[in-house]
């Protein structure tokens, strides 16, 4: 949070300028001794007198021109602030922290960014000017969005948030994670679900699922900012080499995490434990919805995720090439959802599987009850 200090620091993209100091500091996350020496020598040769500099982690392996430009921009900020200070009266703000969006761009913008969409005109202007300053060649990727639906709705962000912050997180292969938070720690369970087996060897299938889960877990830890002790129950593997490969890959996936963390080798029960520094309060987004049947006295799984679960199971059944017709029985509300529009979900299934999937609405079904049936109207186990 905010704190009072007489030590002014002006953060930039790669460097932090510290007036009234003459010290050069390097981020502890830059471990390579040669790179640390190179950066110190470089900054020592270009920094102005009576100024200190803190070299940020992102400065690693950057060219002289990039670091020099960042330093000049920071000098200009200081000169402007110092000039205004002479005629300033109390309560006037001379220099403030950048807004959240600009700060994110300052820390995260790289050559992989292809477009930045903004739905606020004033913020759009600020971001465009800022990108023009730090990366002129990328100025055109900042685009103003003025669609009829909200930007988050248009880009499917709400759906991604619900899919990412729920207790159950589905993976692309069909596997899934169950994430529980107790008073003492976070617990993550990895399940293969209806994942398609790509190898005849069960051990290799387990390794593939665990590697996919490890990459997603590393991403979720950053998104949710889960801190403290985290225990991950991966799918059991009996080959030591595979367990070693899993931990090595997990450490590689965690390299992007700016928070301090420590990963332990799997225990005798196959549980991987790690500790992670909490940078800010944990992000907790409620992904349940009020149940229309009980008028909000209980909670159900987010309906948008429930529809995805049905489609995932249908995809699994179709991949097994079940003979004959497969029909879907659901509550009438969901029947309307799957049949809505000219290019309805049902029509899209036909184009995808080259087979028509009848959808029947049964009033006897509960809102979140469904089943797949064969030609003889018998339930198909998924």
């Amino acid at each position: 949070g905010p704190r009072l200090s007489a030590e002014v620091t002006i953060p930039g993209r790669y460097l932090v300028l510290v007036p009234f100091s003459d010290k050069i500091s390097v981020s502890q996350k830059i471990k390579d001794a040669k790179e640390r020496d190179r950066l110190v020598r470089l900054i020592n040769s270009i920094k102005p007198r009576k100024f200190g500099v803190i070299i940020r982690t992102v400065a690693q392996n950057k060219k002289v021109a990039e670091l020099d430009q960042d330093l000049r921009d920071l000098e200009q900020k200081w000169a402007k602030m110092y000039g205004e200070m002479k005629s300033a009266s109390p309560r006037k703000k001379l220099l403030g922290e950048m807004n959240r969006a600009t700060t994110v761009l300052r820390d995260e913008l790289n050559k992989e960014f292809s477009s930045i969409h903004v739905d606020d005109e004033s913020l759009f202007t600020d971001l465009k000017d800022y990108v023009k300053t730090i990366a002129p060649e990328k100025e055109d990727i900042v685009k103003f969005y003025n669609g009829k639906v909200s930007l988050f709705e248009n880009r499917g962000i709400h759906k991604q948030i619900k899919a990412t912050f729920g207790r159950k997180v589905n993976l692309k292969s069909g596997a899934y994670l169950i994430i529980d938070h107790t008073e003492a720690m976070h617990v993550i369970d990895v399940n293969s679900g209806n994942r398609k087996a790509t190898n005849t060897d069960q051990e290799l299938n387990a390794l593939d699922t665990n590697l996919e889960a490890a990459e997603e877990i590393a991403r979720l830890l950053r998104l949710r900012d889960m801190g403290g002790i985290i225990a991950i129950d991966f799918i059991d593997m009996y080959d030591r080499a595979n367990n070693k490969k899993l931990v090595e890959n997990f450490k590689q996936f965690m390299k992007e995490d700016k928070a301090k963390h420590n990963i332990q080798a799997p225990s005798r029960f196959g549980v991987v434990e790690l500790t992670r520094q909490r940078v800010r309060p944990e992000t907790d987004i409620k992904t349940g919805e009020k149940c229309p049947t009980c008028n909000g006295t209980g909670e159900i799984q987010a309906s948008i995720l429930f529809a995805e679960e049905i489609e995932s199971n249908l995809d699994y059944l179709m991949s097994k090439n079940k003979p004959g017709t497969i029909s879907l029985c659901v509550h009438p509300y969901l029947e309307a959802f799957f049949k809505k529009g000219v290019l309805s979900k049902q029509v899209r299934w036909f184009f995808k599987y080259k087979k028509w999937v009848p959808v029947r609405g049964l009033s006897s079904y509960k809102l979140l009850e469904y089943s797949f049936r064969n030609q003889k109207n018998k339930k198909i186990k998924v």
Side-chain angles (χ1 to χ4, degrees):
R3 62 174 180 251
L4 188 64
S5 171
E7 293 184 12
V8 182
T9 56
I10 307 175
R13 200 173 178 198
Y14 308 118
L15 308 168
V16 178
L17 189 66
V18 187
F20 315 115
S21 170
D22 204 25
K23 183 181 177 183
I24 298 176
S25 305
V26 188
S27 167
Q28 293 181 351
K29 292 184 180 179
I30 300 178
K31 304 294 184 184
D32 188 344
K34 288 184 179 179
E35 179 62 12
R36 291 174 70 92
D37 290 341
R38 181 188 79 91
L39 289 169
V40 170
R41 285 199 310 272
L42 178 59
I43 297 303
N44 208 20
S45 64
I46 62 175
K47 83 173 183 69
R49 289 178 65 250
K50 303 292 182 182
F51 280 91
V53 173
I54 300 170
I55 303 171
R56 303 181 66 192
T57 310
V58 286
Q60 192 168 2
N61 300 320
K62 295 299 177 186
K63 296 179 181 177
V64 183
E66 293 176 288
L67 299 178
D68 184 61
Q69 181 61 49
D70 194 38
L71 189 58
R72 299 293 161 252
D73 291 341
L74 294 176
E75 280 185 76
Q76 286 178 12
K77 275 188 180 180
W78 167 253
K80 183 181 177 183
M81 187 184 88
Y82 185 71
E84 291 182 357
M85 193 187 301
K86 296 174 182 177
S87 58
S89 56
R91 295 187 66 184
K92 179 181 179 181
K93 184 173 76 173
L94 299 174
L95 181 68
E97 175 63 284
M98 295 183 290
N99 60 46
R100 178 62 60 86
T102 310
T103 306
V104 169
L105 278 187
R106 181 190 71 195
D107 296 340
E108 305 294 339
L109 185 66
N110 56 47
K111 60 184 180 182
E112 294 176 5
F113 276 61
S114 58
S115 60
I116 301 168
H117 298 269
V118 192
D119 62 356
D120 181 272
E121 287 193 49
S122 60
L123 184 60
F124 167 73
T125 305
D126 291 345
L127 291 186
K128 199 171 180 69
D129 291 342
Y130 182 69
V131 171
K132 186 178 180 180
T133 304
I134 63 172
E137 73 282 0
K138 286 192 171 290
E139 181 188 357
D140 293 335
I141 72 172
V142 184
K143 298 166 185 175
F144 180 65
Y145 173 81
N146 59 351
K148 292 182 179 179
V149 298
S150 70
L151 179 58
F152 271 26
E153 197 67 42
N154 178 265
R155 291 281 158 179
I157 305 297
H158 288 307
K159 180 179 174 182
Q160 291 179 52
I161 288 173
K162 286 188 176 184
T164 303
F165 285 85
R167 179 174 179 264
K168 180 180 179 182
V169 178
N170 292 306
L171 306 180
K172 289 180 180 178
S173 66
Y176 62 92
L177 309 173
I178 297 293
I179 303 175
D180 281 316
H181 174 54
T182 69
E183 192 68 29
M185 64 174 70
H186 289 89
V187 182
I188 303 176
D189 185 33
V190 179
N191 295 282
S192 58
N194 56 19
R195 184 184 186 279
K196 298 173 187 174
T198 53
N199 298 290
T200 53
D201 187 346
Q202 183 61 35
E203 182 85 2
L204 291 178
N205 283 326
L207 177 61
D208 289 344
T209 304
N210 284 339
L211 290 176
E212 183 189 18
E215 185 172 9
E216 181 64 12
I217 289 168
R219 189 177 79 95
L220 291 176
L221 293 181
R222 296 195 303 274
L223 281 175
R224 298 189 181 196
D225 200 27
M226 293 160 62
I229 300 172
I230 300 157
I232 307 169
D233 183 16
F234 286 102
I235 297 171
D236 290 342
M237 296 187 296
Y238 302 100
D239 190 332
R240 284 188 178 182
N242 288 336
N243 281 308
K244 185 179 179 183
K245 185 176 181 181
L246 170 62
V247 174
E248 287 175 351
N249 277 272
F250 190 29
K251 288 179 179 178
Q252 196 65 33
F253 297 142
M254 290 290 291
K255 271 193 172 180
E256 292 183 35
D257 199 336
K258 294 178 181 178
K260 292 179 182 178
H261 55 271
N262 183 25
I263 301 171
Q264 298 295 317
S267 69
R268 56 185 294 192
F269 300 114
V271 176
V272 174
E273 298 170 357
L274 70 142
T275 57
R276 183 181 181 275
Q277 173 196 18
R278 183 172 286 118
V279 180
R280 57 185 181 276
E282 183 183 342
T283 306
D284 183 24
I285 296 176
K286 299 294 183 184
T287 59
E289 296 175 356
K290 283 188 177 180
C291 175
T293 308
C294 63
N295 199 27
T297 56
E299 283 192 339
I300 61 171
Q301 180 187 9
S303 55
I304 195 168
L305 301 186
F306 181 68
E308 276 200 352
E309 180 184 312
I310 292 176
E311 291 192 75
S312 174
N313 286 331
L314 177 63
D315 191 56
Y316 172 67
L317 288 175
M318 288 299 187
S319 69
K320 292 176 69 175
N321 296 315
K322 288 274 184 182
T325 303
I326 295 176
S327 60
L328 171 63
C329 297
V330 291
H331 187 276
Y333 279 174
L334 278 171
E335 179 195 15
F337 172 74
F338 287 127
K339 290 183 174 181
K340 181 184 176 183
V342 179
L343 268 178
S344 63
K345 294 275 187 184
Q346 192 179 27
V347 173
R348 292 175 192 272
W349 294 341
F350 177 73
F351 289 135
K352 183 177 181 180
Y353 305 117
K354 304 296 186 287
K355 188 183 288 187
W356 185 253
V357 180
V359 180
R360 288 187 285 161
L362 302 179
S363 56
S364 61
Y365 271 30
K366 296 173 185 175
L367 186 61
L368 298 185
E369 184 179 356
Y370 71 95
S371 66
F372 293 102
R373 297 176 181 262
N374 59 20
Q375 284 176 311
K376 296 180 180 179
N377 203 33
K378 290 186 177 180
K379 286 186 180 181
I380 302 171
K381 289 186 178 181
V382 182

